[in-house]
Amino acid sequence: MVIVMGKQFRVFRVRPQTKQLSDVIPLPASVRPDPAANFTITPGTAVSAVPEAAAVAAFLDLPISADGAIRLRLDETLPAEGYRLEIAADSVTLTGGTPQGLFWGIQTLRQLGSDLPGGVIEDAPRYPYRGAMLDLARHFFTADEVKAHLDLLAQFKINHLHLHLTDDQGWRLEIPGWPRLTEVSGGAGTGVDGAGPGFLTLAEYASIVAYAAERFITIVPEIDMPGHVNAVHVAYPELTADGQPVAPRTDAEVGYSSLVAGLEETYAFVEDVIKTVADLTPGPYLHIGGDECLSTPPEDYRTFLARVLPLPGKYGKRAIGWHEIAATDLPESTVVQYWRFEGESPDVARAAAAGRQVIMAPADRTYLDMKYDADTRLGLDWAGHLSVERAYDWDPADRLPGVGEESLLGVEAPLWSETLRSVADVQYLTFPRLPAIAEVAWSPRGSRDWASFRSRLAAFGPRWDAAGITYHRSPEIDWL
Ligand code: TNX
């Protein structure tokens, strides 16, 4: 009951108070409740795990014992990222296709809490690439901050974190052959408003990669080129067209800087950076940017990409680029990341028809840096406002003519950091829209339902409050 200006209003909750087996985000592929078979986890409940599952079992925070009532198993006939969760009156059996599938099953189990509703969940993702992106260039976040963010992403079965490591305002990854990149362009006064200095050492980057891998998340490093490179030119003026010193930039403009396609030194630099980043990164992808090259003549853009797009492959990686790269000839394994917010894209459709895979990140549905509404203190609005419902209520396979389900590698939710100054700011824009996009990327096509989602989402409010996580208490949700 709440009291407003002397009047009494009773707050009715349409939502049942007892937890249902389907109260999980993202919604599982199949849920068969058995109301007769609830299981309660007590402090004495133990976990038994086959040896290959011992490491993931630790994520349940329960004692391990050979005869534990919660059993972790593997069954390689299940999909690799899939799992089956069977909750009976006297036992819980979680079977994964791989340890990764088990890990996602553990996230489901944790969301269900300690009073587990009985029944069977059988689950597997729609897309193999379910991504989030964090921009460390416009505002730097430390290795510990990135790790804490990874923990939150894993709860929603996100399996890729794309790190935007370089841009006009800063360079955030140590490259041993080019020390001024981080000494100068990672130092004091870098970032938007000069408020986001810092960089990852090689050891810190490796520690993020390892921490992510323990959570079955792949780090996707991005070195943005040939545009978005003012920080490179500040550090190494010899890479500019005229060799003259360049002033650092702390504003949020885009499209004014470019590597020089006709300069041989450009390619020595680029190859050295790509080799270094590839060597540091066990995951299969290396993102080379390619967006918003408004000051690169189209012919130069083609020349540059023709030489650079094969380089990740040379060092064992698959190149990803923002969708502008689809205007050029793409090596076979190249992945195109679509980010525009309106209209068609004949280039991306042509790339898809030629067999290239696409990651969907349309700005009007997935950009976490768009404001929720006109009152949102943080974020931008060039792609409009992004409510929780808009982030939820779209389908990646219906988005672009000529780019259907068979062309999609997955979905990503990018968070650009021009307006961000703290982890609380990151969380505020991430929650609760990231869970909405995670469901778009995981749950079966056609299974999504806004009324169901908003009801399931409401239960996360108290959990986020208890965990000290900042989130937007969107008026679209009847928060518990
Ligand atoms: C566009 S989307 C950009 C970024 C900005 C972002 C802000 C894309 C590939 N590039 O440089 O940070 O808008 O929303």
Side-chain angles (χ1 to χ4, degrees), residues 138 228 291-292 322 339 367 369-370 380 382 416 418:
R138 274 57 172 272
H228 294 272
D291 58 316
E292 299 177 319
W322 298 106
W339 64 270
Y367 268 35
D369 62 314
M370 293 301 119
L380 307 172
W382 59 264
W416 303 96
E418 289 92 333

Side-chain angles (χ1 to χ4, degrees), residues 138 167-168 228 249 251-257 292 294 418:
R138 274 57 172 272
D167 214 301
D168 289 313
H228 294 272
R249 293 276 294 252
D251 58 276
E253 283 306 303
V254 296
Y256 57 84
S257 63
E292 299 177 319
L294 310 178
E418 289 92 333

Side-chain angles (χ1 to χ4, degrees), residues 398-439:
D398 295 338
R399 176 57 198 229
L400 265 190
V403 185
E405 186 75 351
E406 66 292 346
S407 298
L408 297 182
L409 182 62
V411 176
E412 184 176 291
L415 178 53
W416 303 96
S417 60
E418 289 92 333
T419 66
L420 309 185
R421 298 294 178 268
S422 67
V423 167
D425 290 351
V426 169
Q427 293 177 350
Y428 183 80
L429 292 176
T430 299
F431 298 106
R433 291 181 296 195
L434 189 275
I437 296 162
E439 184 152 314

